[in-house]
Amino acid sequence: QQPVQSPQAVILREGEDAVINCSSSKALYSVHWYRQKHGEAPVFLMILLKGGEQKGHEKISASFNEKKQQSSLYLTASQLSYSGTYFCGTVGGAGSYQLTFGKGTKLSVIP
Amino acid sequence: SAVISQKPSRDICQRGTSLTIQCQVDSQVTMMFWYRQQPGQSLTLIATANQGSEATYESGFVIDKFPISRPNLTFSTLTVSNMSPEDSSIYLCSVEDRIGVPLSGANVLTFGAGSRLTVL
């Protein structure tokens, strides 16, 4: 089941904040966040696991509500380099490598 | 993290032909994955390729259309057979990768830059 992301697109001015949401209709073991710039490979940003473990880049923060099967990615004091499409990927079981990606959120940061 | 090289980076193909995409990793990895990304769309898993065994295909993808080889721990190929315009997509190779601290059975994916296929 593909996770649902919102919003589909957002435009920010440099320095503004944004929140991208990801929700699933089934129980999750982990949520992954990736960013893809146009014409480039998706790049890992953050992983959040059931039970509270998480690992990712220092300037990126995210939350994972296991009960609601929801995750949010927080982008603060946005920079031009934050522009791209953000994908959440969900994993249903421990040890599974099968990531199911959402449709993506296109973020544009303008001067 | 692993470094992945994909070839070709892009190609224009004629309907009915087949094209093989190569994926080379700079380190040995157990699992390799092939994804498809249609224009402006999300990433859809085609199959998982383990060395020494048959690839495992996701619903909607079949071996006759997308044969995969995995001859060793650093290399894999995906063939798109008998192509039609609907196969125009970016095909990405990825590997499971450790991110420093081994988190309870969780691995993340490192992607290649992708192969952009246009079928006329």
Side-chain angles (χ1 to χ4, degrees), chain B residues 11-84:
Chain B
D11 208 339
I12 299 173
C13 307
Q14 296 299 318
R15 183 195 298 258
T17 61
S18 299
L19 183 80
T20 296
I21 301 166
Q22 299 179 6
C23 177
Q24 179 75 53
V25 189
D26 69 343
S27 58
Q28 293 185 339
V29 292
T30 304
M31 304 184 75
M32 297 178 77
F33 307 90
W34 287 97
Y35 280 83
R36 181 174 73 181
Q37 187 174 30
Q38 293 176 307
Q41 300 298 312
S42 185
L43 300 136
T44 302
L45 181 63
I46 297 172
T48 301
N50 288 342
Q51 194 266 336
S53 62
E54 294 268 341
T56 303
Y57 290 82
E58 297 302 304
S59 175
F61 298 96
V62 295
I63 188 171
D64 289 346
K65 176 68 176 177
F66 298 101
I68 289 171
S69 78
R70 181 79 201 273
N72 57 51
L73 291 173
T74 63
F75 188 78
S76 178
T77 66
L78 170 76
T79 299
V80 186
S81 303
N82 188 24
M83 288 185 284
S84 67

Side-chain angles (χ1 to χ4, degrees), chain A residues 16-88:
Chain A
E16 292 182 338
D17 302 338
V19 180
I20 301 173
N21 300 302
C22 175
S23 64
S24 174
S25 60
K26 66 175 189 179
L28 300 176
Y29 176 72
S30 63
V31 178
H32 303 223
W33 287 94
Y34 289 78
R35 178 174 60 212
Q36 185 179 33
K37 294 181 179 289
H38 184 70
E40 299 181 9
V43 173
F44 168 76
L45 295 176
M46 172 78 72
I47 180 173
L48 304 102
L49 280 83
K50 185 177 179 180
E53 284 185 280
Q54 58 178 262
K55 180 74 175 179
H57 292 276
E58 292 177 1
K59 296 186 178 180
I60 300 286
S61 65
S63 65
F64 179 23
N65 186 322
E66 298 170 28
K67 288 184 180 179
K68 292 186 177 180
Q69 293 136 212
Q70 295 175 346
S71 178
S72 295
L73 184 71
Y74 305 99
L75 302 168
T76 57
S78 58
Q79 305 170 17
L80 295 175
S81 61
Y82 286 11
S83 294
T85 301
Y86 290 76
F87 293 99
C88 74

